[in-house]
Amino acid sequence: MDTKAFDELAGRVDGLAQALLRITAELEMSRRIDGARLARGWREARPDRLAENPQLQASRRVLLQLADQLDAARQSRAIRANVATSSGNWSVLSA
């Protein structure tokens, strides 16, 4: 695979991952899914002992990254909400 084709593929995979994270965060914020449980499931889906080849190892890394990013987004939202409520800005919670 040449560099141009690899860059195209990498960009497409990244775009799909970002879309998945945004959809997941929206569903989590609307309380339609349990984001923490989903992140745990992503972490458990491809354990290290079953990542037997380079493709499965890459898949495992992506699932772990997605779980970490979802958790980080949740923590960031919680911090923003906590700061907003402690300063009396309740409107941020309805956004």
Side-chain angles (χ1 to χ4, degrees):
M1 177 182 295
D2 66 13
T3 302
K4 185 177 179 180
F6 177 82
D7 290 344
E8 174 71 19
L9 179 60
R12 288 175 182 238
V13 170
D14 183 66
L16 288 170
Q18 291 302 313
L20 176 62
L21 285 171
R22 289 180 181 274
I23 290 168
T24 303
E26 287 293 326
L27 292 171
E28 183 177 17
M29 288 186 297
S30 65
R31 296 188 172 122
R32 292 190 175 123
I33 63 168
D34 180 346
R37 181 176 174 206
L38 180 62
R40 278 192 308 276
W42 286 346
R43 286 187 178 95
E44 295 167 358
R46 182 87 59 222
D48 188 41
R49 63 183 165 68
L50 296 180
E52 300 168 345
N53 61 50
Q55 291 83 10
L56 293 177
Q57 291 167 5
S59 171
R60 181 175 189 273
R61 283 191 303 273
V62 168
L63 288 167
L64 294 175
Q65 288 170 346
L66 287 169
D68 289 346
Q69 289 177 4
L70 182 59
D71 287 343
R74 184 181 322 102
Q75 290 171 354
S76 177
R77 288 191 307 270
I79 290 168
R80 283 195 318 261
N82 194 14
V83 168
T85 57
S86 66
S87 64
N89 183 3
W90 296 92
S91 64
V92 94
L93 294 178
S94 61

